[in-house]
Amino acid sequence: MRRSAFVGEAAGRVNLIGEHTDYSGGFVLPVAIPQRTRVEVRPRGDDTVRATSGAMDEGRRQAYILGEDRAAGGWIDFVQGVTRVLRDSGHRCGGCDISIASSVPIGAGLSSSAALEMALLRAFRDAFRLPLDDVTLVRLGRRAENEFVGAPVGIMDQMAAALADERTALFLDARTLQHERIPLPESLALVVIHSGVAHRHAAGDYRTRRAECEEAAARLGVRQLRDCGIEDLARIDGLPAPLGARARHVVTENARVLEAVTALKNGDVERVGTLFNASHASMRDDFEVSVPDVDRLVELAWDEPGVYGARLTGGGFGGSIVAAVRAGSAAAVARRIASRYRDATRRAPAIVVPPAA
């Protein structure tokens, strides 16, 4: 007899602006992308978890016993991490068969991992009747990625996967989790292109940047870099290299997020584009998380008529760019940028937004 399936879904996200600020208690502004992750969970009645993913391992099944989970360095770690934090938090979670389907690009800086975590948690919530709201699921998803997978991410990705949609930006205070939906102006469209350079949050460079931010905050005598403002830049510039540059990025990026929110509310899409450009320069020069091919992709976008601004989005060291473009031009602009990038780098870019491009 076939057991009932409980379904959970969550979208990927593109962060419009506010990069490497969430783990310093700062501000972020993500929006959902059309690509989603869908998870089906069928309870088994024992302690065995069996999972298949159509996007990974050619659909081969992986399995483990609850309580005997061990990080293996693959996609199954995200499943194990979710069941581990549920059980460690006192929530009943039994064995099950899991089927995962996802159109969120992997390694593109678009939160494929958070989409998987939130889809899993939503399916488990229904399958095992867990009394958990979405914000609690967000915290559990972040714990799974931080504590089990070993990726020191902030909380933006899980919040976006749980709460963001495609036509409003999610203005999030990462310290308090207070959030506001900011409608995107009708005159603005988005282009998202994956550079073809994959990134991993669990890799050493991301971890190093977070540690540098924490050391900079300690030297400045504050809890987090969120507690510094533009008025502190002279003091920040007195920090030893590279701490001053890392802190300068976070402080100025927080200010750019706040200004971008105002610009979106005012329909000032040209100002939004200018802020995108300044954000990319800061990520490239102060935070040093871009790479040459991503810089090239951004520069090609800057050269394109109808583009207000463009920047690296996500954790960096590869991944995708986001461009603010004139409404009605997104598909054509995306194709031209991707074609010129392919010719210049011999890489295979992927147009993520708009999906039909």
Side-chain angles (χ1 to χ4, degrees):
M1 179 176 179
R2 188 169 175 80
R3 297 177 294 275
S4 298
F6 297 85
V7 176
E9 292 191 3
R13 68 96 186 98
V14 59
N15 191 25
L16 300 184
I17 197 165
E19 225 66 75
H20 286 274
T21 53
D22 59 342
Y23 55 73
S24 288
F27 304 107
V28 294
L29 194 65
V31 64
I33 58 175
Q35 292 80 4
R36 302 181 67 82
T37 296
R38 186 178 191 272
V39 170
E40 290 186 2
V41 169
R42 298 179 186 273
R44 290 173 50 84
D46 58 18
D47 285 336
T48 298
V49 175
R50 301 188 304 179
T52 59
S53 171
M56 293 164 281
D57 281 352
E58 299 178 345
R60 287 194 293 270
R61 177 179 292 166
Q62 298 204 35
Y64 64 96
I65 305 298
L66 292 170
E68 299 178 11
D69 35 62
R70 299 287 185 276
W75 64 269
I76 193 65
D77 288 358
F78 292 95
V79 182
Q80 293 186 94
V82 164
T83 58
R84 166 76 72 84
V85 297
L86 282 172
R87 290 165 69 89
D88 286 353
S89 300
H91 300 294
R92 184 183 63 84
C93 174
C96 52
D97 291 330
I98 301 171
S99 177
I100 301 167
S102 182
S103 59
V104 183
I106 298 168
L110 301 173
S111 293
S112 60
S113 58
L116 174 57
E117 291 153 6
M118 295 309 301
L120 282 164
L121 283 161
R122 284 172 165 167
F124 279 122
R125 177 174 60 187
D126 291 347
F128 298 105
R129 299 180 182 179
L130 305 178
L132 302 170
D133 60 27
D134 274 347
V135 173
T136 302
L137 296 187
V138 162
R139 295 183 187 277
L140 289 168
R142 183 193 184 189
R143 280 187 56 195
E145 195 154 353
N146 287 175
E147 298 172 13
F148 193 89
V149 178
V153 297
I155 204 162
M156 171 182 66
D157 293 351
Q158 289 79 15
M159 282 291 286
L163 301 176
D165 62 61
E166 294 177 43
R167 284 309 305 169
T168 61
L170 186 71
F171 174 39
L172 171 66
D173 180 332
R175 174 174 287 177
T176 66
L177 298 192
Q178 290 183 332
H179 54 276
E180 177 184 0
R181 298 182 188 278
I182 311 296
L184 299 180
E186 291 297 324
S187 57
L188 176 70
L190 298 176
V191 165
V192 179
I193 303 175
H194 179 23
S195 66
V197 182
H199 86 137
R200 291 182 63 237
H201 273 159
D205 287 332
Y206 188 98
R207 187 181 303 277
T208 297
R209 292 300 181 277
R210 179 164 184 163
E212 289 167 343
C213 289
E214 291 169 353
E215 183 178 352
R219 287 175 179 258
L220 292 165
V222 296
R223 174 185 165 196
Q224 291 177 302
L225 290 177
R226 154 71 178 276
D227 298 309
C228 293
I230 296 297
E231 66 277 7
D232 296 303
L233 285 178
R235 193 158 61 100
I236 286 170
D237 286 343
L239 292 173
L243 301 183
R246 306 299 189 246
R248 184 167 57 246
H249 165 75
V250 173
V251 170
T252 58
E253 187 79 345
N254 278 327
R256 283 186 287 270
V257 174
L258 298 179
E259 192 173 349
V261 168
T262 299
L264 287 173
K265 289 180 176 179
N266 293 337
D268 189 350
V269 293
E270 292 188 357
R271 184 57 186 160
V272 171
T274 299
L275 292 165
F276 274 29
N277 297 344
S279 174
H280 182 77
S282 181
M283 294 175 71
R284 179 192 64 206
D285 300 335
D286 281 344
F287 222 67
E288 296 183 282
V289 294
S290 193
V291 297
D293 281 351
V294 170
D295 289 337
R296 182 63 176 146
L297 187 54
V298 168
E299 290 161 5
L300 289 168
W302 287 346
D303 290 342
E304 184 69 29
V307 172
Y308 299 114
R311 60 181 291 275
L312 165 65
T313 186
F317 311 106
S320 301
I321 72 161
V322 59
V325 308
R326 186 184 303 117
S329 67
V333 165
R335 284 194 295 266
R336 288 195 297 268
I337 294 170
S339 177
R340 294 172 63 199
Y341 175 75
R342 186 181 299 109
D343 291 343
T345 65
R346 301 302 176 188
R347 287 193 180 275
I351 299 171
V352 180
V353 177

